[in-house]
Amino acid sequence: MTFDRSVKIAPSILSADFANFGAECQAIEDQGADWVHVDVMDGHFVPNITFGPATCAAIRPHIKGVMDVHLMIAPVDPYIEAFANAGADIITAHVEAGPHIHRSLQAIRGAGAKAGVALNPGTPAESVEYLLDMVDLICVMTVNPGFGGQKFIHSQVEKVRKLRAMIGDRPIHIEIDGGVTPETAPAVVSAGADVLVAGSAVFKGGSVSNPAPYGENIRAIRAAVKH
């Protein structure tokens, strides 16, 4: 993965057809997705259960590009190795998920993956200030995590701007997760974000047997953020 700040669209397979994950991953990549975003939830840190390392390992052969694994789980550390072994290119842990986020990020890099740190809407940008030399990605939650299809929280745009200033010239992606649409994307991109996670906004109207709408939806988000 070479670093660049061009805008990347990372469809969240939380909105895909769970019975067709392999084909869905191939379909979104064929339709122009840059990364595939995998939302892991444990029913404890967030009020929903999705899937674990075995699912990641099963879909990995169907993904040509980046598999971006977002762990909405607590504790994180006991599972890092399993997700790295399942082929995650990026593993993102929440700053709120445990008392030792610094150690979790060390463990992610030690396992051979890129390290991401995620912030819930109520968590300030300053919480990652002393982690900037250990992370490859900062994920700003623009909804409260746990479910797809929620409304975008606009107060987070200012957080993105703060993070972008803090990052300076470090090679760190700012990822936006939650409520991304062609309407909400321009504000976060102009504030400094470069990775857009979109679930329902990408998958709506399409299916494995009719993937063309995925491409139309991805292009609509891209067009909205072109300067």
Side-chain angles (χ1 to χ4, degrees):
M1 286 172 61
T2 52
F3 182 84
D4 72 87
R5 287 203 195 281
S6 63
V7 173
K8 284 157 279 297
I9 312 288
S12 161
I13 60 168
L14 190 59
S15 298
D17 174 1
F18 279 29
N20 262 325
F21 266 157
E24 288 277 46
C25 291
Q26 287 174 327
I28 54 177
E29 284 195 324
D30 289 347
Q31 292 295 325
D34 300 290
W35 295 3
V36 174
H37 187 83
V38 184
D39 287 304
V40 176
M41 305 183 187
D42 63 358
H44 166 73
F45 181 67
V46 290
N48 195 5
I49 296 174
T50 56
F51 27 74
T55 304
C56 292
I59 62 174
R60 178 71 257 195
H62 300 274
I63 298 171
K64 295 195 283 284
V66 171
M67 183 160 85
D68 174 31
V69 176
H70 178 189
L71 301 182
M72 287 167 269
I73 66 174
V76 172
D77 296 10
Y79 302 99
I80 288 168
E81 200 169 329
F83 283 104
N85 291 342
D89 294 294
I90 304 166
I91 298 175
T92 297
H94 270 259
V95 76
E96 311 87 1
H100 306 295
I101 184 66
H102 191 283
R103 181 183 293 156
S104 302
L105 295 168
Q106 280 179 319
I108 292 168
R109 283 193 161 175
K114 299 274 191 191
V117 63
L119 306 178
N120 281 333
T123 302
E126 289 72 20
S127 64
V128 298
E129 193 168 354
Y130 297 103
L131 303 171
L132 293 177
D133 292 321
M134 307 192 60
V135 298
D136 302 287
L137 176 146
I138 299 170
C139 174
V140 177
M141 295 303 299
T142 42
V143 299
N144 283 296
F147 296 96
Q150 298 185 72
K151 288 269 180 288
F152 181 88
I153 300 171
H154 283 276
S155 61
Q156 303 306 297
V157 176
E158 183 53 37
K159 188 189 291 185
V160 173
R161 201 169 282 119
K162 274 191 186 165
L163 287 167
R164 188 67 199 82
M166 262 192 233
I167 286 167
D169 58 3
R170 293 177 180 88
I172 300 173
H173 295 292
I174 298 180
E175 178 174 77
I176 302 300
D177 188 353
V180 170
T181 65
E183 291 69 47
T184 58
V188 287
V189 169
S190 62
D194 61 302
V195 182
L196 303 175
V197 175
S200 27
V202 166
F203 284 95
K204 65 170 193 268
S207 65
V208 163
S209 54
N210 175 33
Y214 298 167
E216 288 159 22
N217 295 337
I218 288 168
R219 287 190 294 278
I221 297 169
R222 263 195 225 290
V225 299
K226 280 271 187 287
H227 294 304

